[in-house]
């Protein structure tokens, strides 16, 4: 057969061309239509982070507009407002209905320096009045000690005074005493009452750009500002920032203290009330429950109602955290209808949480996702009835009437009918704690203690997290392609990153958390810790054991195995991370591979002899440890399906999603491992934003976070490394590529490669694990090794919330493997700074590096935008919140430890390698004594033990 060389050449070109075309993103591009709420999430976050004043449009092109109102009672209102000229002058008009006494009262306040804040301000005030007097009509004596109504035939002086207030830099109205303006000297029961001129205010010139109107509430005792509607979220946030800075309190020599943001936010919507009823009910629940758990004061708020008097949530008069309204604000002369969010909006952090949930569904009209039974949150009047499980509790003798002043049937989440709306076994845990709550309330005759107990119940049951999970946009269905990295055709070699064995540690939360009471003594600030006194609500040891056993059985069945393969690994003699608390089960999947389910991150307390206090083990999370394998989409989808069925919700703030990578690909190619580490450090700021919660930085610390390593430039050395495995192992150990902090473990880094260089670590540092939290156990320099285990561990990854997020993590790791092994690009030898404040404040620079890194990895940014932009948005909000403290401050009590010595000149072989678990710790040499942390906690521990002995707290079971 004759070969057509031209046709072959054309075909080859087509293959190359097609190979360069990026696969279509499941997250969709910005121009695609019919996008899901999940897809819109990243677009909204990107616009917010980059400060893009782009209109937020619904899928049919309508603009979503934003507005807000703020109520308050500070005289700093006059930084942005002044008197309404007409309202002020009208008091003195001959046709005014004000009496002579009322006119005199207002006149005296306007001219009396004694009504001012200080002598200096009074002087300014007097100067202004002198100026006004000069300009005023001769028949009005502004300096007169008495007010003559007959002489006041015109009101030029007052008119000029008002105009000075509006336009002059020296603003008389800004000098009035707060009590004069805000408490209403005219509102006295035994005197004239004419305060309206003080409260009928108008925006100043600059303020008119941001403020629609200024009104009053509470009979003129507080003002209400309405911000102008904006066509973009960026413009809205700008107006909020402007407002907060203008009303800020300025203290001499200090940065101004920003005022609260608007408490009520409006969002116009094209959706009708009927189409979103189910979603609104859930959103109200979330805002209220989150506010209770975080002690925001919502339990005492005027806007915490769940239903109107008729039981109709659509009523515009309802005083709820969220309501529909058709008469709140205008835009271009048009009255807009939409949402009014009345709680949780003052801080950027809380406002961002709520808007991140709302806006993506709002713009696509996706309100269909429901909890376990469709419609269960439509009939809210039934939900707010006391739960059936409480029928056996004497409510009259209980706490319902003690919970502040609100209606317990509709405002106490511990009494609501949760059961029919939850899955088992979560349902049983929630209902059991409801009964416990009611029983404990019987002994309480104190509203403050009852409120404290209610907050503990909400935190322990995690009902806010459950409702939030229902509200979250639904991720795409995960397929095999989402886990795989498609290698580019221009790279040489047979290496396939998809065939490298991985080990995964996947974490999720127990359905019932632990709410505890802690002591509060004078040593708290010094140690940063409070000592446990008692558990208020939580799971017992038996319940945790049974839950883990049940999960192991369900996972085995879901993975094609059998519940009969479940084996109890719990052993009181097992060290269990040094603390001996081991609750774990193993099971087999369809391929007879062993998996493990265990209780990890165990909270615990000690007595002064170092023994764990009975009943103190608490909290923590569930960890599912996979075998060493090449995971499939079906297997990992099965894991998350079981999590969902058991109401075990993963959290990015608690527990990681460690990905362990088999080191086999680097055994004969140490240069590739050096490249891997080098590329990681070059772009680890991007990876930190993509995959690591700012709340998890201590457990996965960036080595040399804000600078270069000491001694030598390790990253630059790795970028040009060309030696053998022993050379690389020595370089990594001698450069201290591990956590050297006192009080931390050597593996607590973003990328743990200690297993690679274990054979060159001095033997004295290879010892069994120890209990890092036990105050009587000295911290020690030690590594955990087993010669049979050769892996690299990514600890920076958060616990994936769903299989689609896990797929994104795995594909990213595989792309980095391919770049290190087959790529021809040279690393630059740079160590990227991991400074959360800097990353949050320079989003454009970070976004450029993000694009650059994904291009280098041959990944599509559209496949990762859904992670990058929302996480960067949350990082910015977190950095600006009161909860944020820099990593350096968190680690101030953990100094770097010296004295690790040099690496071994002759590495141990795998055959004679050391197993840490088989080696006990021994002190060594005076010159290299183990550093011990001074322990003021011991006195705290003794104080807590005394408090427990005589515990009579109303929170006690």
């Amino acid at each position: 057969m004759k070969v057509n060389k031209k046709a072959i050449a054309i075909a080859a070109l087509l293959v190359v061309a097609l190979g360069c075309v990026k696969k279509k993103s499941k997250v969709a591009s910005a121009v695609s239509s019919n996008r899901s709420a999940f897809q819109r999430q990243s677009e909204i976050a990107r616009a917010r982070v980059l400060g893009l004043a782009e209109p937020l449009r619904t899928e049919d092109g309508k603009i979503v507009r934003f507005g807000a109102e703020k109520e308050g009672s500070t005289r700093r209102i006059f930084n942005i407002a002044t008197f309404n000229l007409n309202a002020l002058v009208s008091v003195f008009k001959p046709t005014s209905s004000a009496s002579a006494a009322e006119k005199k009262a207002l006149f005296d306040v306007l001219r009396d320096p004694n009504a001012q804040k200080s002598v200096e301000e009074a002087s300014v005030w007097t100067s202004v009045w002198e100026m006004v007097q000069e300009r005023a009509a001769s028949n009005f004596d502004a300096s007169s000690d008495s007010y003559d109504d007959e002489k006041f035939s015109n009101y030029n002086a007052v008119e000029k005074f008002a105009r000075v207030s509006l336009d002059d830099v020296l603003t008389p109205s800004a000098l009035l005493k707060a009590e004069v303006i805000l408490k209403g000297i005219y509102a006295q029961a035994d005197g004239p009452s004419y305060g309206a001129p003080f409260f009928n205010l108008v925006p100043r010139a600059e303020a008119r750009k941001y403020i629609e109107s200024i009104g009053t509430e509470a009979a003129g005792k507080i003002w209400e500002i309405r911000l102008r509607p904006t066509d973009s979220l960026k413009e809205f946030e700008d107006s909020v920032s402007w407002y907060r800075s203008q009303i800020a309190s300025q203290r001499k020599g200090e940065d101004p203290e920003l005022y609260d943001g608007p408490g009520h936010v409006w969002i116009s919507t094209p959706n009708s009330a009927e189409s979103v009823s189910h979603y609104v009910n859930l959103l109200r629940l979330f805002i209220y429950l989150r506010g209770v758990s975080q002690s925001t004061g919502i339990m005492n708020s005027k806007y915490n109602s769940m239903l109107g008097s008729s039981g109709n949530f659509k009523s515009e008069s309802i005083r709820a955290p969220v309501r529909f309204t058709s008469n709140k604000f205008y835009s271009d002369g048009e009255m807009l209808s939409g949402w009014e969010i009345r709680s949780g909006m003052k801080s950027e952090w809380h406002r961002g949480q709520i808007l991140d949930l709302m806006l993506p569904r709002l713009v696509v009209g996706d309100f269909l996702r429901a909890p376990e039974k469709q419609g269960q949150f439509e009939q809210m009047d039934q939900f707010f009835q006391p739960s059936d499980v409480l029928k056996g509790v004497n409510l009259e003798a209980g706490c319902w009437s003690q919970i502040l002043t609100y209606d317990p049937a509709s405002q106490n989440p511990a009494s609501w009918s949760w059961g029919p709306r939850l899955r088992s076994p979560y349902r049983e845990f929630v209902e059991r704690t409801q009964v416990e709550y009611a029983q404990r309330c019987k002994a309480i005759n104190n509203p403050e203690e009852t409120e404290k107990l209610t907050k503990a119940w909400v935190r322990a049951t995690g009902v806010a997290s459950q409702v939030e999970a229902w509200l979250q946009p639904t991720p795409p269905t995960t397929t095999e392609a989402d886990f795989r990295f498609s290698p580019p055709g221009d790279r040489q070699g047979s290496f396939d990153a998809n065939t490298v064995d991985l080990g995964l540690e996947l974490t999720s939360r127990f359905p019932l958390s632990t709410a505890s009471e802690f002591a509060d003594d004078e040593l708290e600030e010094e140690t940063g810790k409070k000592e446990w006194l008692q558990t208020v609500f939580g799971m017992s040891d038996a319940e945790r054991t049974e839950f883990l056993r049940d999960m192991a059985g369900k996972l085995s069945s879901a993975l094609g195995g059998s519940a009969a393969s479940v084996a109890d690994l719990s052993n009181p003699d097992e060290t269990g991370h040094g603390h001996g608390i081991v609750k774990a089960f193993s099971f087999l999947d369809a391929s007879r591979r062993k998996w493990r389910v265990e209780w990890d991150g165990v909270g615990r307390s000690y007595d002064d002899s170092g023994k764990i206090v009975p009943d103190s083990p608490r909290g923590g999370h569930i960890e599912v440890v996979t075998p060493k394998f090449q995971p499939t989409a079906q297997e990992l989808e099965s894991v998350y399906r079981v999590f969902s069925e058991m109401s075990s919700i993963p959290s990015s703030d608690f527990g990681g999603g460690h990905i362990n990578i088999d080191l086999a690909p680097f055994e004969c190619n140490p240069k590739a491992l050096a490249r891997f580490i080098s590329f990681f450090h070059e772009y680890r700021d991007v990876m930190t934003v993509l995959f690591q919660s700012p709340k998890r930085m201590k457990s996965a610390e960036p080595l040399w976070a804000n600078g270069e390593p000491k001694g030598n430039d390790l990253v630059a050395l790795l970028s040009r490394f060309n030696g053998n495995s022993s050379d690389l192992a020595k370089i990594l150990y001698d450069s201290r590529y591990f956590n050297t902090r006192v009080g931390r473990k050597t593996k607590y880094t973003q990328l743990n490669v200690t297993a690679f260089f274990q054979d060159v670590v001095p033997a004295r540092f290879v010892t069994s694990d120890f209990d890092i939290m036990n105050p009587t156990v000295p911290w020690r320099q030690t590594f955990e090794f087993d010669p049979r285990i050769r892996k690299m561990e990514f600890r920076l990854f958060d616990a994936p919330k769903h299989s689609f997020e896990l797929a994104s993590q795995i594909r990213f790791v595989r792309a980095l493997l391919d770049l290190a092994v087959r790529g021809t690009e040279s690393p630059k030898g740079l160590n990227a700074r991991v400074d959360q404040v800097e990353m949050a404040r320079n989003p454009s620079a970070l976004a450029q590096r993000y694009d650059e890194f994904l291009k280098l990895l041959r990944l599509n940014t559209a496949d990762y935008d859904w992670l990058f932009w929302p996480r960067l948005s949350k990082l910015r909000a977190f950095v600006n919140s009161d909860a944020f403290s820099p990593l350096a401050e968190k680690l101030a009590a953990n100094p770097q430890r010296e004295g690790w010595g040099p690496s071994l000149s002759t590495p141990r072989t795998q055959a004679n390698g050391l197993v840490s678990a088989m080696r006990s710790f021994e002190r060594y040499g005076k010159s290299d004594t183990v550093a011990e942390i001074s322990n003021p906690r011991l006195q705290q521990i003794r104080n807590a033990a005394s408090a427990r002995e005589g515990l009579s707290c109303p929170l006690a079971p």
Side-chain angles (χ1 to χ4, degrees):
M1 183 178 70
K2 187 177 180 180
V3 178
N4 189 330
K5 294 183 179 181
K6 185 176 181 181
I8 292 176
I10 293 174
L13 288 173
L14 285 172
V15 169
V16 172
L18 290 172
C20 294
V21 177
K22 292 181 178 180
K23 65 171 183 158
K24 185 178 180 182
S25 168
K26 292 184 72 171
V27 184
S29 68
V31 296
S32 62
S33 59
N34 298 319
R35 291 161 292 179
S36 69
F38 188 84
Q39 293 164 347
R40 295 299 301 269
Q41 217 169 20
S42 62
E43 299 170 28
I44 296 169
R46 178 179 178 274
R48 180 187 299 165
V49 167
L50 295 181
L52 305 179
E54 298 174 348
L56 178 60
R57 297 181 183 274
T58 60
E59 288 299 289
D60 59 359
K62 295 181 180 177
I63 295 176
V64 176
R65 292 182 171 88
F66 301 86
E69 66 184 8
K70 172 64 180 175
E71 297 172 354
S73 56
T74 172
R75 77 190 192 110
R76 292 195 300 275
I77 180 66
F78 289 101
N79 292 350
I80 59 176
T82 188
F83 296 130
N84 183 316
L85 171 64
N86 294 331
L88 183 66
V89 171
S90 66
V91 179
F92 297 99
K93 285 185 178 180
T95 57
S96 169
S97 61
S99 66
E102 290 170 336
K103 292 178 181 179
K104 181 181 185 305
L106 178 57
F107 173 80
D108 287 344
V109 171
L110 293 178
R111 62 161 299 283
D112 184 3
N114 294 324
Q116 309 320 310
K117 198 71 175 171
S118 67
V119 174
E120 179 183 355
E121 292 177 344
S123 174
V124 173
W125 178 272
T126 302
S127 299
V128 172
W129 264 109
E130 290 173 353
M131 177 180 66
V132 170
Q133 190 175 346
E134 290 175 5
R135 299 177 184 176
S138 58
N139 63 345
F140 174 58
D141 183 4
S143 62
S144 173
D145 291 332
S146 61
Y147 175 79
D148 188 339
D149 190 49
E150 292 183 359
K151 288 183 178 180
F152 204 83
S153 57
N154 66 54
Y155 46 89
N156 261 357
V158 179
E159 181 178 12
K160 287 183 177 294
F161 174 83
R163 291 194 183 283
V164 169
S165 301
L166 187 63
D167 300 324
D168 213 282
V169 175
L170 291 174
T171 308
S173 55
L175 303 177
L176 284 174
K177 274 185 177 179
E179 58 265 29
V180 172
I181 297 176
L182 302 169
K183 294 184 180 177
I185 61 168
Y186 306 109
Q188 301 173 17
D190 56 349
S193 179
Y194 210 93
F198 283 99
F199 304 102
N200 201 336
L201 305 176
V202 292
R204 290 179 171 281
E206 180 189 2
R208 292 170 208 154
K209 175 182 176 183
Y210 301 99
I211 296 176
E212 181 80 22
S213 64
I214 302 176
T216 63
E217 290 213 350
K221 293 183 180 180
I222 61 175
W223 41 258
E224 179 183 82
I225 286 182
R226 294 191 175 187
L227 299 181
R228 289 188 181 278
T230 67
D231 288 350
S232 72
L233 191 55
K234 192 266 182 185
E235 293 169 311
F236 170 73
E237 294 292 351
D238 283 350
S239 63
V240 170
S241 297
W242 172 87
Y243 165 77
R244 295 187 67 201
S245 63
Q246 293 299 307
I247 308 294
S249 61
Q250 180 71 58
R251 297 178 181 176
K252 193 171 183 179
E254 296 181 9
D255 292 333
E257 183 178 339
L258 295 181
Y259 200 63
D260 279 344
H264 296 189
V265 172
W266 311 318
I267 305 176
S268 69
T269 172
N271 310 102
S272 66
E274 288 75 11
S275 68
V276 295
S277 59
H278 179 84
Y279 187 78
V280 172
N281 288 336
L282 288 175
L283 191 61
R284 282 181 187 159
L285 281 181
F286 170 69
I287 294 174
Y288 182 72
L289 294 169
R290 189 208 58 177
V292 172
S293 67
Q294 296 180 353
S295 300
T296 62
I298 197 170
M299 292 179 72
N300 304 304
S301 169
K302 296 185 297 182
Y303 305 106
N304 64 10
S305 299
M306 294 293 119
L307 291 172
S309 57
S310 64
N312 181 359
F313 85 96
K314 289 176 284 188
S315 169
E316 293 191 7
S317 62
I318 184 174
R319 303 181 75 83
V322 182
R323 69 172 178 177
F324 280 101
T325 178
S326 59
N327 62 353
K328 287 304 287 187
F329 64 118
Y330 288 89
S331 181
D332 299 328
E334 175 189 4
M335 179 66 76
L336 302 177
S337 63
W339 313 63
E340 182 183 14
I341 313 166
R342 296 143 68 94
S343 296
M345 303 302 283
K346 291 182 181 179
S347 75
E348 180 185 359
W349 175 246
H350 290 151
R351 184 167 64 249
Q353 284 182 305
I354 296 171
L355 293 180
D356 284 347
L357 287 175
M358 283 188 61
L359 294 179
R361 289 189 180 274
L362 178 67
V363 295
V364 300
D366 174 15
F367 304 105
L368 300 179
R369 188 180 185 190
E372 311 314 319
K373 295 183 180 179
Q374 181 74 31
Q376 283 287 1
F377 285 91
E378 294 284 359
Q379 302 300 322
M380 298 300 283
D381 54 336
Q382 298 174 12
F383 174 63
F384 295 125
Q385 295 303 311
S387 171
D388 288 344
V389 301
L390 298 175
K391 290 181 178 178
V393 181
N394 185 351
L395 299 184
E396 292 301 321
C399 64
W400 314 130
S401 61
Q402 301 292 335
I403 299 180
L404 307 179
T405 58
Y406 56 75
D407 178 13
S410 63
Q411 299 306 322
N412 185 353
S415 73
W416 295 340
S417 296
W418 288 100
R421 295 156 178 86
L422 304 176
R423 284 174 170 165
S424 180
Y426 184 41
R427 176 176 63 245
E428 286 77 17
F429 286 126
V430 170
E431 291 186 333
R432 187 255 288 167
T433 56
Q434 286 184 295
V435 173
E436 291 177 355
Y437 173 88
Q439 291 171 338
R440 290 173 183 171
C441 281
K442 289 183 179 181
I444 296 176
N445 195 25
N446 182 327
E448 291 182 2
E449 294 299 331
T450 303
E451 180 181 352
K452 188 177 176 182
L453 186 68
T454 306
K455 293 174 182 177
W457 185 91
V458 172
R459 285 194 292 268
T461 56
V463 285
S465 296
Q466 182 64 71
V467 175
E468 182 181 15
W470 290 332
L471 289 167
Q472 287 286 357
T474 309
T477 301
T478 311
T479 66
E480 201 65 42
D482 297 316
F483 287 90
R484 296 183 62 82
F485 172 67
S486 300
D490 60 337
R491 287 184 181 165
Q492 302 300 312
S494 59
F495 173 76
D496 184 356
N498 299 298
T499 64
V500 176
D501 284 338
L502 303 177
L504 307 176
E505 299 172 39
L506 308 174
T507 59
S508 64
R509 308 293 283 171
F510 281 104
L512 196 64
S513 298
T514 303
S516 300
E517 184 187 4
F518 293 88
D520 188 7
D521 61 46
E522 69 277 5
L523 292 176
E524 178 207 339
E525 290 185 3
E526 184 177 350
T527 65
K529 292 181 180 295
K530 295 183 179 181
E531 287 302 316
W532 174 88
L533 292 180
Q534 64 176 338
T535 294
V536 183
F537 297 110
M539 296 174 70
S540 67
D541 283 356
E543 287 175 328
R544 279 199 179 88
T545 301
E546 189 56 34
F547 190 84
L548 291 172
R549 188 197 312 274
D550 191 19
M551 177 171 282
K554 283 183 166 58
L555 284 171
S556 182
S557 298
L559 293 165
S562 168
S565 70
V566 174
D568 190 347
L569 303 180
S570 303
N571 183 350
D573 297 325
E574 180 77 28
T575 58
H577 301 289
H579 52 63
I581 306 172
V582 177
K583 293 192 181 300
F585 294 87
S586 67
F587 64 89
L588 301 178
D589 61 17
S591 300
R592 306 296 294 173
R593 296 171 303 197
K594 183 180 287 188
W595 297 55
R596 190 170 75 250
V597 180
E598 64 181 31
W599 181 18
D600 195 27
V602 183
R604 54 202 182 273
S605 296
Y606 302 84
D607 61 22
D608 57 3
S609 66
K611 294 181 180 179
I612 293 177
V613 176
D615 299 324
S616 71
R618 58 194 180 271
H621 51 263
I622 299 163
E623 183 173 83
V624 175
V625 183
T626 75
K628 180 180 174 180
F629 71 150
Q630 296 167 28
T632 66
Q634 183 179 0
E635 289 169 332
L636 299 180
E637 276 276 296
S638 297
V639 172
Y640 281 91
R641 185 170 61 253
V642 171
F643 283 170
S644 177
E645 290 172 355
M646 299 190 71
S647 300
S648 181
I649 302 173
S651 170
S652 59
D653 293 337
F654 306 96
H658 303 175
I659 297 179
N660 298 282
I661 307 164
D662 189 355
L663 288 176
F666 304 114
E667 285 182 357
C668 299
N669 191 0
K671 181 177 180 180
L673 179 57
R675 283 167 53 81
F676 187 99
I677 299 172
S678 189
F679 278 124
F680 165 73
H681 273 269
E682 187 175 335
Y683 291 101
R684 64 180 181 162
D685 52 344
V686 173
M687 293 192 69
T688 298
V689 171
L690 270 170
F691 301 120
Q692 187 173 11
S693 165
K695 296 182 180 180
R696 289 188 53 251
M697 298 295 283
K698 279 187 70 174
S699 59
E701 182 184 345
L703 292 178
W704 323 293
N706 296 324
E708 296 297 334
K710 295 180 180 179
N712 59 58
D713 188 346
L714 172 64
V715 182
L717 186 62
L718 293 176
S719 69
R720 57 179 182 268
F721 176 80
N722 201 27
N724 59 35
S725 293
S726 295
D727 296 333
L728 181 59
K730 292 176 184 179
I731 288 172
L732 290 172
Y733 179 80
D734 291 334
S735 298
R736 307 296 182 248
Y737 198 71
F738 51 89
N739 195 318
T740 63
R741 291 186 183 276
V742 175
R744 310 304 292 157
K745 292 192 177 183
T746 51
K747 66 181 179 180
Y748 289 172
T749 62
Q750 288 184 321
L751 181 63
N752 174 25
V753 297
T754 56
F756 175 80
F757 58 77
Q758 60 179 289
D759 296 325
V760 301
V761 174
R764 66 176 182 268
F765 299 134
V766 183
T767 63
S768 58
D769 201 2
F770 68 103
D771 189 346
I772 197 171
M773 293 179 64
N774 191 327
T776 66
V777 175
W779 175 83
R780 63 195 61 170
Q781 295 165 277
T782 186
F783 293 85
E784 297 175 60
F785 293 146
D786 186 329
R788 298 167 300 174
I789 300 175
R790 305 279 170 161
K791 65 179 183 180
M792 173 169 51
E793 180 187 31
F794 263 117
R795 294 179 59 88
L796 70 80
F797 289 112
D798 291 338
K801 295 183 290 296
H802 39 69
S803 59
F804 190 72
E805 181 172 359
L806 177 57
S808 300
Q809 293 178 353
I810 291 175
R811 188 168 68 249
F812 202 98
V813 167
R814 286 172 167 169
L816 188 53
L817 278 169
D818 189 83
L819 173 64
V821 177
R822 297 200 308 139
T824 56
E825 299 87 347
S826 299
K828 298 174 184 175
L830 302 176
N831 182 54
R833 290 169 57 88
V834 181
D835 185 323
Q836 293 167 307
V837 174
E838 182 179 316
M839 291 189 294
R841 291 179 179 173
N842 296 281
S844 296
L846 190 66
Q848 184 175 349
R849 288 177 52 74
Y850 162 69
D851 290 340
E852 180 182 297
F853 190 28
L854 266 68
K855 183 177 180 180
L856 180 66
L857 292 171
R858 309 297 178 88
L859 292 171
N860 190 348
T861 54
D863 287 332
Y864 286 88
D865 283 350
W866 73 272
L867 268 173
F868 181 75
W869 294 110
R871 280 177 171 265
L872 184 53
S873 176
K874 289 178 181 178
L875 174 62
R876 294 183 70 205
F878 183 66
V879 164
N880 294 329
S881 73
D882 295 336
F884 174 75
S885 58
L887 181 61
E889 290 183 13
K890 293 180 181 179
L891 292 169
N894 304 99
Q896 302 285 355
R897 175 71 166 98
E898 302 296 336
W900 296 88
S903 59
L904 299 182
S905 57
T906 302
R908 292 182 291 269
T909 65
Q910 187 165 345
N912 66 357
L914 302 178
V915 180
S916 297
M918 299 176 64
R919 294 172 54 82
S920 59
F921 168 75
E922 294 181 5
R923 290 178 179 268
Y924 51 88
K926 266 189 176 181
S927 62
D928 201 18
T929 304
V930 172
E932 296 185 27
I933 303 174
S934 60
N935 212 332
R937 278 187 61 205
L938 287 175
Q939 185 58 48
Q940 273 186 301
I941 287 170
R942 297 184 184 106
N943 294 345
S946 299
R948 279 193 292 271
E949 288 178 3
L951 201 61
S952 58
C953 174
L955 294 187

